[in-house]
Amino acid sequence: ASVKSDTSSRCVSLSGSGSTDSGGRGDSLDLHNKHPDERWPRQNSLSMKEWDIPYDELKLFEVIGTGRFGTVYRGSWHGAVAVKVLHVLSDDCVPLDTFKHEVATFRKTRHENLVLFMGACMKPPRLAIVTSLCKGMTLYTHIHLRKDKFTANKSVIVAQQISQGMGYLHARGIIHKDLKTKNIFLENGKVVITDFGLFSVTKLCFGNKLVQSVRGDSLGIPAGWLCYLAPELCRALTPHASLHLPFSKATDVYAFGTVWYELLCGEYPFKSQPPEAVIWQVGKGVKQSLANMQASRDIKDILMLCWSYRWGERPDFPHLLSTLQKLPRKRLARSPSHPVHLSRSADS
Ligand code: ADP
Ligand code: MG
């Protein structure tokens, strides 16, 4: 049963003029009569139309799932897509400029390990992001629901691809802000990272709600979210300082460390500890113990570096990638049982 979105509505142009999506197209022929200084804004607004998807072109089918800030539908727009409709509490909290700015940066992302961003829709007070539909399952489903075991070698291959995608994002100046196993798909062995950079859009829509739920009501805390937060983020989680959490490339690297731990151990760090205890410990620099972890020293070293208390001591993704690429070679020397597979991953 297909539920078509409201056809009477039109997308608001995100070029800032407030016109509808067809408005202004007719006078684009005037471009060459304009003073050179006036051409750039017009060209920018034209290029923005590429990702400004009118609601009436979009079909929404069943709900795939509901996350913290929105509902994801299977949809259709020139083929199968995923449509994330962000729930916004009221009209006046729609951060149009922030949305416009952030979505403009997603449009520039082209990488094998990143979900394909196709466009955005806006019908106040609703915002929607359209991406390619990921096949396969998330790492979260593999690790925590299906309890699939990732060998060290497979973990390394997955981590290398995450580092590649994240290194690309960072080189483009985009901070993910919500790197977690629920946002990493595995499609026939290929990693696809989703939901980059969306956190601040949703954060603006939700205002203080997020942190109130974190501090005030343990049940309001999304399971397995806190363990991705670097110490500087945990310390910033106060009821009054929620809008400016100090996300950075280094907080993404910390989150990657948690993903690396989940891959290797099959569970979250600080498993079954109450949120208050996790916030307090991480904020003070306490790390999940690795004493019971069955892994080589160099694998644990990566974890400890990513989880460094001081952000400046955490490696960046290109560095992580080269460290990870060296691991299989070392393991190969010890265990020559899968030489073809390993040498390929090490050289790629
Ligand atoms: P979360 O990431 O916290 O699970 P989301 O709102 O991002 O919450 O996702 C809700 C559901 O939709 C999840 O089951 C997620 O796997 C799925 N989903 C999100 N994006 C896509 C996509 N591009 N393709 C397929 N499924 C997706
Ligand atoms: Mg997600």
Side-chain angles (χ1 to χ4, degrees), residues 67 72 84 138 176 178 180 182-185 194-195 198:
V72 179
K84 176 172 262 192
T138 62
H176 192 302
D178 202 15
K180 54 180 185 178
K182 285 186 174 178
N183 283 336
I184 303 170
F185 280 82
T194 66
D195 283 348
L198 282 182

Side-chain angles (χ1 to χ4, degrees), residues 3 63 81 105 113 170 189 203 212 232 241 260 274 293 308 318 326 330:
V3 182
V63 171
V81 293
T105 60
N113 300 117
H170 283 185
K203 186 181 58 173
Q212 276 168 5
E232 62 271 29
W260 182 230
M293 188 173 163
S308 294
K326 285 173 197 149
K330 285 185 194 164

